[in-house]
Amino acid sequence: MSAEHLERFVRKLESIAPLSPDERRAILSLPVSLVSLRAQQDFVREGDRPMRSALLVEGFAVASKVVGAGKRQITYLYVPGDMPDLQSLHLSVMDFTATSLVPSKLAFIQHDALRQLCADHTPLCFLLWRMTLIDAAVYREWVANTGQRAAISRTAHVLCEVVARLHAVQLAQDYRIDFPMTQAELGDALGLSPVHVNRVLQDLRNRRLIELKGKRLAIPDWPALCKLADFDPGYLHLKADAARWDAGSQRGTPAPARN
Amino acid sequence: MSAEHLERFVRKLESIAPLSPDERRAILSLPVSLVSLRAQQDFVREGDRPMRSALLVEGFAVASKVVGAGKRQITYLYVPGDMPDLQSLHLSVMDFTATSLVPSKLAFIQHDALRQLCADHTPLCFLLWRMTLIDAAVYREWVANTGQRAAISRTAHVLCEVVARLHAVQLAQDYRIDFPMTQAELGDALGLSPVHVNRVLQDLRNRRLIELKGKRLAIPDWPALCKLADFDPGYLHLKADAARWDAGSQRGTPAPARN
DNA sequence: CGAAATCTTGAGTATAATCAAAAACGGTGG
DNA sequence: CCACCGTTTTTGATTATACTCAAGATTTCG
C-alpha cells in the first residue's frame, strides 16, 4: 500500500496548514510507485521533462546546478516529506538536478494524479502551490545567506535551517538530526571551499555551538547558534505548532504514558 | 480604464505561455487601482499581510531582505509586467520588502479578484502558479550565481538576465535598456561592495562588453557577454518566441511598413 | 549655481581560495 | 578481528579576490 509512504507527505503538508479528514484521505489514496535509490544517484536531471513528481520518503537529497566549468552549486537540501520536482507539474523542463546523498526511498506520483487532486480539492491545489512558494522563500533566504553573511554565520544558517525543517516533520528530537553531507558537499551548498568549510566547522565546534560526528549533528545551544547564524525561521512559513520547540512538539505521535 | 495597464501583464504572461482570447479578456477586465510611486518607496514590507497584489506597470523595483546588522540583500529585480507580491495570494506574511528604484506605476489587484480568476479559468490559475515557479527558478540561479561565480561573471550574469527579461516583454530594443540601479544597489544585489562593483564595471567597459552611462545600458557584444557570464536563459523558462533575438522579436507590435 | 548623491581612485587589510600532504575514518574481505 | 583500501577530514603555507577606509572627481537635481 502507498499510504504509509504518503504519511510522510501528510506530515509535511500539516507542518504548513491543517488538513481536513477528507483532504487527508484524498492524499493518502494517491497512487504511487516506490523506488529505492543508492547514495549519489540523480533521480531527475537538468533538461528532463518528467511526467511524475518524486516525494522523498526516506533519506536525504540535494538540488544542484552546474556552473561554468566543473563547479556546482547546491541550491536546496531535501528532507523526507519534500517533493523536489513538484514544480515539474507546471514547468515542463527541469532546470536543476536532484541527487540522493544517502540510500533513499522515493514515492513517484504521476502528474495526472496530482492534477486530478487539484481539480477535486481546490484547497489542496492552493496548498501545493503554497509549498512551491515556500521553496521560493527558502531560495530567497539562500541568496541573502550566500550574498551577505560571512562564512561562519552562513554555515550556521544552513545548519539551523535543516534542523528546523526536520523538526517541523518530527525528524529532529532534541536538536539532534541525521546529517549526511560531507564537508565538500556542504562547500557546494555554501559557496565555500571544502578546506574552508572544515575550518569553519572546527570553529563552530570549539565555540560549543555544534556537535558533528559521523553523520549525526547535535545543537547543544540552539539560541546561541541561531544568534550567530542570524536565523529567523519566519521564511519557512511554518504553522505555529510546527515551529514550536517545546514539549508539544510531538504532535501527531503523542507519546502515551508507557510505564 | 484598467485595460491599458493590464496590457503589460498580458505581455508578460504571453512571454511564458499563449493566452486564449477568452483568457485575455478575463485578465484585461480585472479591476485594478493604479498608484504612482516616487523613487525609493517601499510598497510592501517584510511582515505585511497584503490583501492585494501589485503589478509593476512602469518603472523598476527590487525585492530585498535585511541581513544581520545594517546589511541588505537584493534578491530580485522587477521589471514592468512583474508582480512582486503575487505570492501573498497564498503566503499570508511577506518575507521580503519590495521597493521602487525610480518613479514607478503600480496596478493593485485584490486577492479576491485573482482567486475568482483562478476559479473561472483553471489554465490561468496554473499560469499564475507557473509564474511563481519561474521566480523560484530565478532565485535558484541567483544562488548559483552568488555562490560560485567570480565577481565579473556574476555581475555580467545579472546584466544578461535583466536584458533578457526586458526583451521578453519588448522593453529591450537592440540590447539597450533603461537600467536605473546605482552601483551601491548593484552591490546589494550581487553581494559585492560598491567599490568592487565599480571596478568590475570598469573592467566590463574596458573589455567592450557593456556600455553603461547615466541610466542606460547597452550590450555591444551579446554573445561575448553571455559567454563571460556563463549565461544560459533556460532558467527563465520563456516561450520560444520571447527568447528569440532576431527580427521577429517585435511580436505584438509588428511595425507596418511606414514609407 | 550649489548641495547631495554617485562614481572613481589609491592604499592597506582580511577573508577565503588554492595547493599539497598527512591523519583519521569507514567499510570490505580475508 | 584485523589489515587494507578509498574517502573524508585535517593541517600548514601561500596566494588571490574582494573588503575597508578615505579622499577626490563627477554627475544629478533642485
Side-chain angles (χ1 to χ4, degrees):
Chain A
M1 285 306 351
S2 50
E4 55 196 286
H5 309 117
L6 287 164
E7 250 323 318
R8 270 263 95 80
F9 193 41
V10 167
R11 208 81 63 91
K12 158 91 185 205
L13 292 170
E14 286 182 335
S15 75
I16 299 171
L19 294 182
S20 76
D22 189 41
E23 288 161 0
R24 208 187 148 89
R25 210 173 316 114
I27 290 161
L28 289 175
S29 61
L30 281 169
V32 305
S33 66
L34 199 73
V35 171
S36 290
L37 295 181
R38 285 171 280 113
Q40 302 297 336
Q41 264 198 291
D42 295 350
F43 54 94
V44 254
R45 286 207 183 80
E46 209 168 330
D48 281 359
R49 297 167 162 271
M51 299 296 291
R52 56 188 193 179
S53 291
L55 168 69
L56 183 61
V57 172
E58 206 183 295
F60 201 97
V62 299
S64 66
K65 303 189 69 147
V66 299
V67 178
K71 304 169 93 176
R72 72 161 178 175
Q73 172 73 36
I74 289 175
T75 59
Y76 204 102
L77 308 181
Y78 297 109
V79 303
D82 289 335
M83 288 193 71
D85 61 345
L86 174 53
Q87 59 152 313
S88 66
L89 189 58
H90 297 298
L91 271 189
S92 51
V93 183
M94 290 295 296
D95 57 58
F96 63 87
T97 296
T99 312
S100 62
L101 291 190
V102 288
S104 303
K105 286 196 173 58
L106 297 180
F108 284 106
I109 308 175
Q110 293 297 126
H111 285 169
D112 288 344
L114 288 171
R115 272 187 264 267
Q116 193 56 52
L117 188 75
C118 282
D120 296 344
H121 304 266
T122 311
L124 279 183
C125 177
F126 288 169
L127 183 52
L128 292 181
W129 187 347
R130 199 208 286 213
M131 274 184 58
T132 64
L133 291 170
I134 294 175
D135 287 350
V138 173
Y139 295 131
R140 270 193 294 276
E141 187 66 33
W142 278 47
V143 171
N145 197 36
T146 316
Q148 301 296 334
R149 287 195 257 264
I152 190 165
S153 299
R154 194 191 306 179
T155 306
H157 197 280
V158 316
L159 297 181
C160 285
E161 179 185 304
V162 184
V163 171
R165 283 176 46 215
L166 281 168
H167 171 75
V169 291
Q170 286 108 58
L171 290 172
Q173 330 77 13
D174 214 16
Y175 304 101
R176 273 163 212 287
I177 64 166
D178 286 313
F179 187 68
M181 294 184 83
T182 66
Q183 293 179 4
E185 286 159 350
L186 252 181
D188 285 344
L190 293 163
L192 297 173
S193 72
V195 173
H196 202 62
V197 169
N198 181 275
R199 294 181 166 132
V200 165
L201 289 177
Q202 288 182 53
D203 195 354
L204 287 170
R205 272 191 279 249
N206 291 337
R207 298 180 190 214
R208 310 288 135 120
L209 291 174
I210 66 169
E211 286 161 22
L212 180 55
K213 183 93 188 283
K215 297 303 167 198
R216 291 289 294 174
L217 169 68
I219 316 292
D221 188 348
W222 178 251
L225 188 66
C226 288
K227 188 174 173 216
L228 174 70
D230 184 33
F231 178 74
D232 169 355
Y235 72 96
L236 296 173
H237 297 271
L238 295 170
K239 230 177 33 171
D241 62 337
R244 245 187 304 115
W245 286 94
D246 55 32
S249 65
Q250 292 310 315
R251 278 157 313 118
T253 54
R258 47 177 172 141
N259 55 336
Chain B
M1 284 307 348
S2 51
E4 56 195 286
H5 309 117
L6 287 163
E7 251 320 320
R8 271 263 96 80
F9 192 42
V10 167
R11 207 82 63 89
K12 158 90 186 209
L13 292 170
E14 285 181 337
S15 75
I16 299 171
L19 294 182
S20 76
D22 190 41
E23 289 160 359
R24 208 187 148 87
R25 212 174 314 115
I27 290 160
L28 289 176
S29 60
L30 281 170
V32 305
S33 67
L34 198 74
V35 171
S36 291
L37 295 181
R38 285 170 281 114
Q40 301 297 335
Q41 264 197 291
D42 296 350
F43 54 94
V44 253
R45 288 206 182 80
E46 209 168 330
D48 281 358
R49 297 168 162 272
M51 298 297 291
R52 55 188 194 180
S53 292
L55 167 69
L56 182 61
V57 173
E58 205 183 297
F60 202 97
V62 298
S64 66
K65 302 188 71 146
V66 298
V67 178
K71 305 168 91 175
R72 72 162 180 175
Q73 172 73 35
I74 288 174
T75 59
Y76 204 102
L77 308 182
Y78 297 109
V79 303
D82 289 335
M83 288 192 72
D85 61 346
L86 174 53
Q87 57 152 312
S88 65
L89 189 58
H90 296 297
L91 271 188
S92 51
V93 183
M94 292 294 297
D95 56 58
F96 63 87
T97 296
T99 312
S100 61
L101 291 190
V102 287
S104 303
K105 286 195 174 59
L106 297 180
F108 284 105
I109 309 175
Q110 293 296 128
H111 285 167
D112 287 344
L114 288 171
R115 272 189 263 267
Q116 192 57 50
L117 188 76
C118 281
D120 296 343
H121 304 267
T122 309
L124 279 183
C125 177
F126 288 168
L127 183 52
L128 292 182
W129 188 347
R130 199 208 286 212
M131 274 184 57
T132 65
L133 291 170
I134 294 175
D135 287 351
V138 173
Y139 295 131
R140 270 194 293 277
E141 187 66 32
W142 278 48
V143 171
N145 197 38
T146 316
Q148 301 295 335
R149 289 195 257 263
I152 190 164
S153 299
R154 193 190 309 177
T155 306
H157 197 280
V158 315
L159 296 181
C160 286
E161 179 186 304
V162 184
V163 171
R165 283 176 45 217
L166 281 168
H167 171 74
V169 291
Q170 286 108 57
L171 290 172
Q173 331 76 13
D174 213 17
Y175 304 102
R176 274 164 211 285
I177 63 167
D178 285 314
F179 187 69
M181 294 183 84
T182 65
Q183 293 179 3
E185 286 160 349
L186 251 181
D188 286 343
L190 293 163
L192 297 173
S193 71
V195 173
H196 202 61
V197 169
N198 181 276
R199 294 184 166 129
V200 165
L201 289 177
Q202 287 183 53
D203 194 355
L204 287 169
R205 273 191 280 249
N206 291 338
R207 298 181 190 213
R208 308 289 136 122
L209 292 174
I210 66 170
E211 287 161 22
L212 179 56
K213 184 93 186 285
K215 297 303 168 196
R216 291 289 294 174
L217 169 69
I219 315 293
D221 188 347
W222 177 250
L225 188 66
C226 288
K227 189 174 172 215
L228 174 71
D230 182 34
F231 178 74
D232 170 355
Y235 73 96
L236 296 173
H237 297 271
L238 295 169
K239 231 176 35 170
D241 63 337
R244 246 187 304 115
W245 286 94
D246 55 31
S249 64
Q250 294 309 316
R251 278 159 313 118
T253 52
R258 48 179 171 139
N259 55 338

